[in-house]
Amino acid sequence: MRRWQGATSGADGNRTVVIAAVIVSTFFVGFGGGVIFPILPNLGVVLGISPFLVGLILSANRFSRLVANAPAGVLVDRVGTRKPFVVGMVVQGVATFGYVVAIVAARPELWFLPDVPEAWFLGSRVVWGVGSAAVFATAYTIASDVSDGSSRGASMGLIRGGVLFGFPSGVVIGGIISEFAGTVSAFVVATVFAALASVIAYATIPETHVDGDEHRSVSVLDVDTSVPALTVGLVNFAVLFAYIGALFATLVLFLEHNDLGVFGFDAQASSGIFMALTVVSAGIFMFLGGYVSDRTESRVPTLLVFLGTTFVGFVLFAMADSIATLAIACLLVGAGQGGTSGPLMALLADLTPDERVGRAVGTNNVLGDIGGGLGPIVSLPLVELVGFQPIYVACAVLPVVAGGILLAGIHRETGQFLPNVSVLEDSSAASSQLSDHAD
């Protein structure tokens, strides 16, 4: 039984309101995370920043979140979801405003601001990552708290959509705004979105994880290293390394190198449009993947189908030499990434005792951020050395490896390769009883 009373029978309306509030909040604040991606690679030339430093800035939020994810998960299990969620939103809004400062600091009338744009960008990304660690840990925990086995896949897909959909939307809209209205305007719009997200979160998000002023006694060192958390986390690592890490960091350069564009736009704006294809595709399949796993009462087959879809998409990327091929590749990669999202997080919640969900989500986010953070740092320098095709072939192999890890981990935990949801929940209950006896 989930602690949140709204998760009991007859509370579907309350559950819908809570999930909708989380989706809207995470979408708006996620915009600030994505708006920098289509701008900074080209801006790096203007600012005199090396490709390695550009990659480091793009990944800095993931590395700071890497450090903050596990403590954020512990914090959620100790004090609940509402306070960390709202505070995380505010921190991300402040960090997004740092992008504006990075650009305008060079103006003579602002002599009191150091003219070191690379430092402002890097610092903002670091702070943004700390805030997003709190938001991510709480968002998925809320979805787990207010759902059960028959609705968890769809709920996780919707929440995941809000978290990840905001980021690529920022990539798309940021690239277009920067072309028509300038870089500063794009960053100002992102800051406004982040502030709006904070207001929405404060006004609408309830406490779902603890009752009243109750605090759980959870050690800050109690990180979840269970088989389910590590298995799901490694799959998340592979998907995010390929999709957000490598693809999003290199696509603008790929278009520029191959002189590809749409609607007369240059590589920067065109990359945003192609990313929009992955966003639309992912947005559709985030909910659909979770819904199918709920209706079939089995997560693993759905996950394997969409990991295979990701593989095909990246194979097409490696072969792409036209707008049509590139568009199909974007749709397939988006579908694969989106389709794994709901079932993957639902699988983690199915296998995790209620009182440990925050920490399990923290572990998953740690591994996902390692993947997403390494992606730009590894792919951007290697593109200059070996070209784009080998990078995208390597990205195609990753979901295949992830599928093998998924099957091995699930079999070790449940004794089955394709367990249904009831078997997963029985495994979770057994783990909870063992934990209680140990205590």
Side-chain angles (χ1 to χ4, degrees):
M1 176 76 65
R2 299 280 161 184
R3 282 186 171 272
W4 186 59
Q5 296 303 310
T8 59
S9 178
D12 288 345
N14 290 336
R15 178 170 62 238
T16 301
V17 170
V18 172
I19 291 175
V22 175
I23 291 169
V24 172
S25 299
T26 53
F27 172 83
F28 281 147
V29 80
F31 185 95
V35 71
I36 196 173
F37 259 74
I39 297 173
L40 191 59
N42 284 337
L43 193 61
V45 177
V46 177
L47 298 176
I49 300 175
S50 69
F52 176 81
L53 185 53
V54 170
L56 183 61
I57 292 172
L58 292 177
S59 299
N61 66 310
R62 294 191 176 278
F63 288 114
S64 63
R65 193 165 65 202
L66 176 63
V67 175
N69 272 328
V74 171
L75 183 66
V76 169
D77 283 339
R78 282 178 66 100
V79 306
T81 52
R82 175 175 164 78
K83 290 180 181 178
F85 190 86
V86 174
V87 171
M89 286 285 173
V90 173
V91 170
Q92 285 183 279
V94 172
T96 305
F97 182 68
Y99 301 159
V100 179
V101 177
I103 297 298
V104 304
R107 295 179 180 177
E109 62 270 23
L110 300 178
W111 55 268
F112 53 90
L113 294 176
D115 182 14
V116 282
E118 62 273 25
W120 283 109
F121 277 124
L122 186 61
S124 295
R125 297 292 281 176
V126 169
V127 173
W128 200 91
V130 173
S132 67
V135 171
F136 279 25
T138 48
Y140 297 133
T141 304
I142 290 169
S144 178
D145 287 342
V146 303
S147 305
D148 56 27
S150 64
S151 63
R152 192 171 296 131
S155 296
M156 286 293 189
L158 289 170
I159 296 290
R160 183 82 164 179
V163 171
L164 293 182
F165 197 82
F167 170 83
S169 295
V171 175
V172 174
I173 301 173
I176 294 174
I177 292 176
S178 66
E179 175 153 323
F180 285 103
T183 300
V184 173
S185 297
F187 291 152
V188 168
V189 170
T191 302
V192 171
F193 272 120
L196 180 60
S198 300
V199 172
I200 292 172
Y202 181 81
T204 59
I205 301 298
E207 179 54 62
T208 66
H209 206 53
V210 299
D211 295 327
D213 294 328
E214 174 190 354
H215 289 182
R216 294 178 179 142
S217 178
V218 180
S219 168
V220 295
L221 301 177
D222 189 7
V223 178
D224 194 329
T225 57
S226 64
V227 170
L230 293 176
T231 298
V232 170
L234 287 172
V235 174
N236 199 30
F237 167 92
V239 171
L240 292 186
F241 181 101
Y243 179 57
I244 290 180
L247 179 59
F248 274 29
T250 61
L251 185 54
V252 62
L253 302 176
F254 176 83
L255 294 175
E256 197 170 64
H257 179 266
N258 291 282
D259 195 25
L260 294 173
V262 291
F263 306 127
F265 290 135
D266 64 9
Q268 183 167 298
S270 294
S271 69
I273 293 171
F274 280 113
M275 288 177 192
L277 293 178
T278 74
V279 171
V280 171
S281 183
I284 294 171
F285 286 96
M286 277 177 184
F287 172 77
L288 184 60
Y291 179 82
V292 169
S293 76
D294 286 341
R295 299 286 73 80
T296 60
E297 297 185 349
S298 184
R299 314 290 186 200
V300 179
T302 305
L303 285 168
L304 293 177
V305 167
F306 284 109
L307 288 172
T309 303
T310 305
F311 164 79
V312 175
F314 273 107
V315 169
L316 285 180
F317 260 111
M319 300 166 54
D321 57 0
S322 68
I323 297 298
T325 306
L326 195 60
I328 295 172
C330 286
L331 290 172
L332 289 174
V333 170
Q337 191 279 328
T340 61
S341 298
L344 190 63
M345 295 306 298
L347 177 67
L348 180 61
D350 291 339
L351 286 168
T352 304
D354 297 349
E355 66 275 6
R356 296 191 64 86
V357 170
R359 282 160 283 178
V361 170
T363 298
N364 173 70
N365 290 345
V366 166
L367 290 169
D369 283 334
I370 292 175
L374 283 177
I377 289 179
V378 172
S379 62
L380 285 172
L382 284 181
V383 158
E384 294 190 349
L385 293 177
V386 301
F388 293 95
Q389 189 175 55
I391 300 300
Y392 293 148
V393 168
C395 288
V397 172
L398 281 176
V400 176
V401 174
I405 293 172
L406 174 67
L407 290 173
I410 292 299
H411 186 268
R412 178 168 180 179
E413 185 68 10
T414 67
Q416 300 180 27
F417 286 110
L418 304 174
N420 59 32
V421 171
S422 62
V423 172
L424 299 175
E425 291 181 332
D426 288 344
S427 176
S428 171
S431 297
S432 182
Q433 290 176 358
L434 289 175
S435 178
D436 290 341
H437 289 319
D439 293 340

